[in-house]
Amino acid sequence: MDSVLVSLEAGVLRITLNRPDKLNAFNVDLHKGLADAMARAETEAAVRCLLVTGAGRGFCAGADLTARDMKSPAPLDLGAMLDAHYNPLVKRMRALPKPIVCAVNGVAAGAGANFALACDIVIAARSASFIQAFVKIGLVPDCGGSYFLPRLAGTQRAMALAMTGDRLSAEDAERWGIIWKCVDDADLKAESEKLARQLASGPTKSLGLIKQAIYDSASNSLSAQLDLERDFQREIGKGEDYREGVAAFLEKRKPEFTGR
Ligand code: T3D
């Protein structure tokens, strides 16, 4: 059974974590599947948006805790796992000039929670939850959690979530601004598909620069950000989609963006 299912339809690359009996926990196979999907997203122009979700009742339970030889007294180098898999994955997701929508269908724990937060827009089912499970097994947040959480939720909430490993409901995650929104379980598939299709038929280059501008603002001064906006506007204003957007507005019709 493939650990990651990938399909492309209407510009949306649907990526489904597919180890449902282990709540889609990360193992090397799943990491390889994600790396292959990212390579496709990076190279295929037909891919204009990514939609990530999980098979079964969970989204992702973090690292597969059965994949380590815990009986051997030799110390494990977990840093090597991060270097080999999690860190390149998060960096590629952030650098990808295309939107990534995440549909969190169930529990997202440990690296699974932070993988979701590495996506650009997160929608969760009402029954889903987010757990910084690391502390429960004597680890620290990884997969970008110590970067994303304080920025999304503020220092106090990030600290308490990381230090307690308490479960955060999807409703609270929405209220705290950690995710875009939570929807009824029955609506998750349709809502996330609708958003992904909307983005896939949008002005792709513009969406890619919006993504970069929002993320770069975290470390830029206002002056640097204003310069960035000028440079991006200059660049995107030369694109076909800008001409099409204005023409469609003036002609009172729906724009047909091509991503160019
Ligand atoms: O090692 C490295 O690569 C370093 C990187 C580390 C990054 C990390 O992510 S560390 C954090 C790892 N994750 C966890 O500690 C979470 C462990 N799981 C749980 O705490 C619970 O399973 C959940 C809270 C996520 C869900 O609870 P619940 O009651 O809904 O489900 P369950 O019964 O615990 O799990 C269902 C099955 O999935 C179960 O298998 P079974 O008994 O039916 O055969 C369970 O063992 C399995 N499962 C759940 N999480 C994992 C897992 N199997 C392997 N690894 C898991 N992380």
Side-chain angles (χ1 to χ4, degrees):
M1 190 167 76
D2 290 337
S3 299
V4 178
L5 305 176
V6 180
S7 62
L8 176 62
E9 200 192 327
V12 177
L13 192 71
R14 174 176 261 277
I15 300 169
T16 306
L17 310 181
N18 190 39
R19 304 184 70 221
D21 50 338
K22 298 235 177 204
L23 301 182
N24 304 316
F26 285 106
N27 64 0
V28 170
D29 217 43
L30 191 140
H31 276 297
K32 282 189 178 148
L34 284 176
D36 288 348
M38 286 305 298
R40 224 179 134 177
E42 286 160 354
T43 53
E44 282 186 32
V47 176
R48 294 172 67 186
C49 178
L50 277 59
L51 174 56
V52 180
T53 194
R57 74 175 175 89
F59 173 70
C60 177
D64 186 332
L65 299 177
T66 63
R68 303 263 163 278
D69 178 8
M70 301 302 280
K71 293 206 177 97
S72 160
L76 291 170
D77 181 1
L78 298 184
M81 276 306 278
L82 302 195
D83 267 343
H85 300 295
Y86 295 96
N87 292 0
L89 173 65
V90 172
K91 287 178 191 170
R92 286 174 92 175
M93 291 166 75
R94 287 286 159 134
L96 185 75
K98 299 172 183 178
I100 307 178
V101 175
C102 186
V104 181
N105 53 298
V107 65
N114 298 333
F115 170 59
L117 300 185
C119 297
D120 303 315
I121 302 182
V122 184
I123 304 183
R126 205 167 296 284
S127 68
S129 55
F130 298 81
I131 309 174
Q132 294 296 317
F134 309 90
V135 70
K136 304 263 189 196
I137 55 168
L139 292 182
V140 297
D142 62 17
C143 209
S146 63
Y147 180 92
F148 302 133
L149 273 178
R151 283 168 172 75
L152 292 166
T155 307
Q156 270 293 302
R157 283 169 165 171
M159 195 71 81
L161 288 173
M163 284 193 166
T164 62
D166 280 357
R167 189 186 288 260
L168 184 72
S169 69
E171 284 181 353
D172 282 344
E174 179 194 276
R175 208 162 45 81
W176 291 8
I178 290 177
I179 63 169
W180 165 232
K181 62 177 166 179
C182 92
V183 298
D184 289 342
D185 288 22
D187 297 332
L188 180 70
K189 191 166 185 304
E191 287 257 4
S192 56
E193 288 278 353
K194 188 174 155 210
L195 175 61
R197 280 175 186 249
Q198 176 188 332
L199 295 172
S201 61
T204 310
K205 282 194 176 151
S206 158
L207 292 168
L209 291 181
I210 289 170
K211 172 168 171 171
Q212 194 185 334
I214 299 289
Y215 290 141
D216 283 5
S217 76
S219 54
N220 271 348
S221 64
L222 173 60
S223 175
Q225 193 67 14
L226 289 170
D227 287 352
L228 173 149
E229 289 177 359
R230 175 205 56 217
D231 293 344
F232 283 7
Q233 209 69 298
R234 178 173 285 147
E235 179 183 339
I236 205 70
K238 294 173 186 157
E240 287 178 25
D241 279 341
Y242 168 59
R243 288 190 176 275
E244 166 61 9
V246 175
F249 174 78
L250 296 176
E251 292 160 23
K252 299 189 187 303
R253 60 174 173 83
K254 224 175 141 236
E256 281 183 35
F257 294 120
T258 58
R260 286 194 291 270

